[in-house]
Amino acid sequence: MHGMSEGARSTAARLLAALEAISNSRDGLTVAEFARALGRDKSIASRQLRPLVDLGVLERGPDGRHRLGWRLFTLAARAGDQRLLLLAPPVMRRLSDLSGERVHLSVLHGREVLTILSESSRQMIEAVDWVGRTAPVHCTSSGRVLLFDHRDDDVRCLLGDERLAVRSSAAPATAEDFLRRLCEARKLGYALVDGEFDVDLVAAAAPVRDFSGRIVASINVSAPAYRLKERLWHTGRQVASAAAHLSKAISSQADH
Amino acid sequence: MHGMSEGARSTAARLLAALEAISNSRDGLTVAEFARALGRDKSIASRQLRPLVDLGVLERGPDGRHRLGWRLFTLAARAGDQRLLLLAPPVMRRLSDLSGERVHLSVLHGREVLTILSESSRQMIEAVDWVGRTAPVHCTSSGRVLLFDHRDDDVRCLLGDERLAVRSSAAPATAEDFLRRLCEARKLGYALVDGEFDVDLVAAAAPVRDFSGRIVASINVSAPAYRLKERLWHTGRQVASAAAHLSKAISSQADH
DNA sequence: AAGCGGGTTGCATTTATTGCAACGCGGCGT
DNA sequence: ACGCCGCGTTGCAATAAATGCAACCCGCTT
C-alpha cells in the first residue's frame, strides 16, 4: 500500500510520480484510487488529473479510469530520434576503430535507404560522403536490415512487382530472390552483402531498435572487397554487437 | 521556433509546453534558448530544467543542451495501444507507396483529432510534420471517420450547439450539416474530404477497429488537390483496404 | 430513509513559482 | 591586459499557484 513513499519535493517530481502511479496500474486509476496511491486528498487528485486529461497526457475512459495517453507516445518517439542522433556517433566511432573501416547510420526513406550519419576511418581509400544520399533498398546491407521486421507481403509491395533494377550480377533480381537473402539475414541477426551494390564493395549491417523494439535505423560497415572480404564474418558480429549496444543505450539511463 | 501556444494555466500545462519546446528542437535547447522559447526569464528556465534532468525526463549533454530523456520511454512503453503502434507503420508505408502521398494515423482526443504517426518519403529528418498536433474534428477526413460509430446526439454534443469554426467555405457550418456528411461517409465505409480543412487540400480516411469492433484510430491520406483530387475515389478505396488490413492485424494473435 | 463511496467545488492557508537583480564564468574583439 | 557580451546560477520580495478541510451532488446498497 504505502509502496514508495518518497520525498517528492518539486512539483515536477510530484507530476512524474502521478504519471508513474498510473503507469504502474494495470487497468488505470480512478480519482479515489489515484488519491490513495499518492496519499493525498481526493480533491487534489481530481484537480491534478483534469488538466492532464485535457492536455492528452492522460486519457479518461468511460469507466472513469485514467490511463496514459497518446501524447506521451509522440514525446517518446521524438526522444528516440534525439537520442539516436546523440548516442550513435560514439558507438560508430568505436566500431570504426575496431573494424578500421567507415561506418554509416541509415534509415528507411520511402523505398530507399538514407544515410544520416557517417564516421570515418583512418583509411585513405574509402567511399566518399554518403550522408544525405539514398541507395536502393534491395542491394544494400542496410536495406536488408531495415526490412527485418517487415512481413513478406509488405516487402513484395515495397519492392514492386517488376524486376529489380540490378546494379551488379550479385544483386537479387527478383523480390523472391531478395526475400531468400532477407530470411538468411534474419536468422543471422545481421546482413552481409558481397558485391551487390557495387562489385568491389562488401558490407555488413545490423538493426538498431528503440524502446518498443521497432527498428529505427541500421548501422553498417562498408569497404572495398579486397580489404574487408576476408574478415567480413567477423565484422558482421562486430556490427551486430555495436547495434545491440546502441539499441540498449537509446532506452537506458546510463550511457558510455 | 518561438512559443506558439498561449494560455498555459496549470503547472502541468507549463511542464508539457516545456517538454514540447524541447521536443520540437532538433538538437536540444540550452537554458537561454529554452527561456526564449517560452518567453520567460532564464532563471525560470534554469530552475525548471534542473528537476526534470534529475528525474531523467530530460537529459543535459556536455554541451549544455537539453534533450528528451530515457524516462519518457518507461512511461510511453505503457501508453496507448502498443500493438497498433507496432503494426501500423508497415501498413502505412505500403499505402504511402500505393498512393504516392503522405499517410497519417490519428486518434480522437476530446473534440480534436490528434496525429500520432506519419509515414512518407521522409522519416525522421526534418520531421516537422503533423505528429503530436491536433486538427478540428469537423473538417477533416480523420475526424469524420473517428465519429463513425458515435450516435447523432453524441456528435451534436461533441461539436457544441454553436456554429462551427469554419476554415473554408467547403467545411460544414453546422452540426446538422456535419451529420449529413458523416452519414454519407458511413454508407461509403470511408470519408472523402475536398477543401474543407484547407481549400487546396483533399483527403481520404478510413477507420481502424480493434478486436471488439471499436474504432481506435483513423488512417488517412492527405495531399494537395491538384495532385490527388482526380483519383480521390480510388485512393479512398485503397485507404479503406489498408485500414481493414490493419484492423485485422491488430486483432489477430499470430504474428511473428 | 439513512448510510456509504466516488467525484467535484469553495475557500482560507500554505507553498511554490515568478521576475528582477546580482554574481561568476568563459569567449572575443579593440 | 582590458572591457564587453552572452550564458548559467542564485537571493529575495511579490505574486500566483497548490493544498486540505469542508460541503455538496450523485448513484448505489442496506
Side-chain angles (χ1 to χ4, degrees):
Chain A
M1 281 291 174
H2 307 117
M4 36 138 195
S5 59
E6 194 73 32
R9 267 181 220 77
S10 161
T11 53
R14 257 168 296 183
L15 242 161
L16 186 64
L19 293 182
E20 293 202 325
I22 291 180
S23 167
N24 290 332
S25 70
R26 211 183 60 76
D27 285 324
L29 293 176
T30 66
V31 174
E33 290 168 345
F34 178 71
R36 281 191 291 269
L38 267 67
R40 299 264 183 286
D41 194 83
K42 55 182 180 178
S43 64
I44 301 177
S46 177
R47 285 188 279 226
Q48 268 194 354
L49 289 178
R50 193 181 25 183
L52 292 176
V53 171
D54 291 342
L55 291 168
V57 177
L58 296 181
E59 271 178 17
R60 182 171 186 166
D63 51 357
R65 295 191 170 277
H66 296 79
R67 299 173 187 84
L68 299 176
W70 293 103
R71 201 125 208 174
L72 286 172
F73 173 75
T74 65
L75 279 175
R78 299 195 175 211
D81 293 350
Q82 289 186 353
R83 289 177 69 79
L84 175 63
L85 292 176
L86 181 72
L87 297 174
V91 175
M92 292 168 67
R93 169 149 298 285
R94 217 175 55 180
L95 179 57
S96 176
D97 290 340
L98 266 177
S99 63
E101 301 294 345
R102 184 171 268 269
V103 175
H104 306 276
L105 189 77
S106 318
V107 298
L108 202 55
H109 188 252
R111 58 182 65 196
E112 301 237 309
V113 173
L114 171 65
T115 300
I116 59 176
L117 283 180
S118 186
E119 204 56 58
S120 77
S121 68
R122 304 171 298 266
Q123 301 286 346
M124 294 278 125
I125 302 176
E126 59 183 15
V128 250
D129 229 353
W130 271 350
V131 172
R133 298 189 177 278
T134 59
V137 73
H138 69 275
C139 60
T140 55
S141 57
S142 290
R144 213 151 298 178
V145 156
L146 290 171
L147 296 181
F148 253 40
D149 289 353
H150 282 54
R151 281 179 296 199
D152 289 1
D153 285 345
D154 295 329
V155 172
R156 288 191 191 92
C157 190
L158 189 76
L159 294 178
D161 296 333
E162 309 145 15
R163 203 158 301 158
L164 302 175
V166 284
R167 296 184 56 104
S168 82
S169 59
T174 67
E176 299 310 317
D177 191 1
F178 175 83
L179 282 171
R180 275 191 296 275
R181 307 189 191 204
L182 176 58
C183 195
E184 269 183 45
R186 280 192 187 122
K187 289 175 191 163
L188 210 55
Y190 52 90
L192 302 181
V193 155
D194 182 358
E196 294 186 16
F197 179 74
D198 188 287
V199 283
D200 294 325
L201 236 51
V202 298
V208 180
R209 301 171 186 272
D210 69 2
F211 68 98
S212 67
R214 245 188 48 190
I215 293 178
V216 293
S218 150
I219 187 169
N220 85 292
V221 170
S222 177
Y226 73 88
R227 222 162 53 202
L228 188 62
K229 190 170 181 178
E230 303 293 323
R231 53 194 169 94
L232 188 57
W233 274 85
H234 185 235
T235 302
R237 286 190 293 271
Q238 287 178 329
V239 174
S241 169
H245 185 262
L246 180 55
S247 300
K248 234 186 315 179
I250 286 178
S251 48
S252 70
Q253 178 175 13
D255 48 319
H256 103 267
Chain B
M1 32 171 114
H2 260 279
M4 39 161 206
S5 61
E6 200 56 50
R9 260 195 306 295
S10 159
T11 54
R14 279 189 293 262
L15 237 160
L16 186 63
L19 291 182
E20 293 206 324
I22 291 179
S23 159
N24 289 331
S25 70
R26 218 185 56 74
D27 292 322
L29 293 177
T30 65
V31 175
E33 289 168 347
F34 178 72
R36 281 191 291 268
L38 268 67
R40 301 268 181 282
D41 195 82
K42 56 183 179 178
S43 64
I44 301 176
S46 178
R47 285 188 280 224
Q48 270 195 353
L49 290 177
R50 193 178 21 167
L52 291 177
V53 171
D54 292 341
L55 291 167
V57 176
L58 296 182
E59 209 167 311
R60 182 171 185 166
D63 51 357
R65 304 189 94 83
H66 299 262
R67 299 174 185 84
L68 299 176
W70 58 273
R71 198 81 179 244
L72 289 171
F73 294 134
T74 67
L75 288 174
R78 308 188 182 203
D81 189 344
Q82 288 299 110
R83 194 161 184 76
L84 175 63
L85 298 176
L86 197 68
L87 297 175
V91 175
M92 292 168 66
R93 170 155 307 285
R94 207 168 72 174
L95 179 57
S96 176
D97 289 339
L98 269 176
S99 64
E101 302 294 344
R102 189 172 200 102
V103 176
H104 305 277
L105 189 77
S106 318
V107 298
L108 195 57
H109 173 234
R111 59 183 62 195
E112 302 242 311
V113 174
L114 172 64
T115 300
I116 59 176
L117 281 181
S118 184
E119 284 283 339
S120 164
S121 50
R122 46 178 73 182
Q123 172 144 347
M124 55 184 302
I125 294 304
E126 61 171 328
V128 201
D129 48 4
W130 286 95
V131 172
R133 304 199 180 282
T134 59
V137 72
H138 70 275
C139 59
T140 56
S141 58
S142 290
R144 212 150 299 178
V145 157
L146 290 170
L147 297 181
F148 253 41
D149 290 355
H150 283 54
R151 285 177 307 184
D152 289 1
D153 286 345
D154 294 331
V155 172
R156 288 191 191 90
C157 187
L158 190 74
L159 294 179
D161 295 334
E162 309 147 15
R163 203 156 300 158
L164 302 175
V166 284
R167 296 183 55 103
S168 82
S169 59
T174 65
E176 300 308 317
D177 191 0
F178 176 83
L179 282 172
R180 275 192 295 275
R181 308 189 192 204
L182 177 58
C183 197
E184 270 182 45
R186 279 189 188 124
K187 290 174 191 165
L188 210 55
Y190 51 92
L192 302 181
V193 155
D194 182 358
E196 294 186 17
F197 180 74
D198 188 288
V199 284
D200 294 325
L201 235 51
V202 299
V208 179
R209 301 171 186 273
D210 66 4
F211 67 97
S212 67
R214 201 173 58 100
I215 293 179
V216 293
S218 149
I219 187 168
N220 85 292
V221 171
S222 178
Y226 73 88
R227 222 161 54 199
L228 189 62
K229 190 171 182 178
E230 302 293 324
R231 54 193 169 96
L232 187 57
W233 275 85
H234 183 236
T235 301
R237 285 190 294 272
Q238 287 177 330
V239 173
S241 168
H245 186 259
L246 181 55
S247 299
K248 235 186 314 179
I250 64 177
S251 305
S252 69
Q253 205 65 283
D255 219 79
H256 67 253

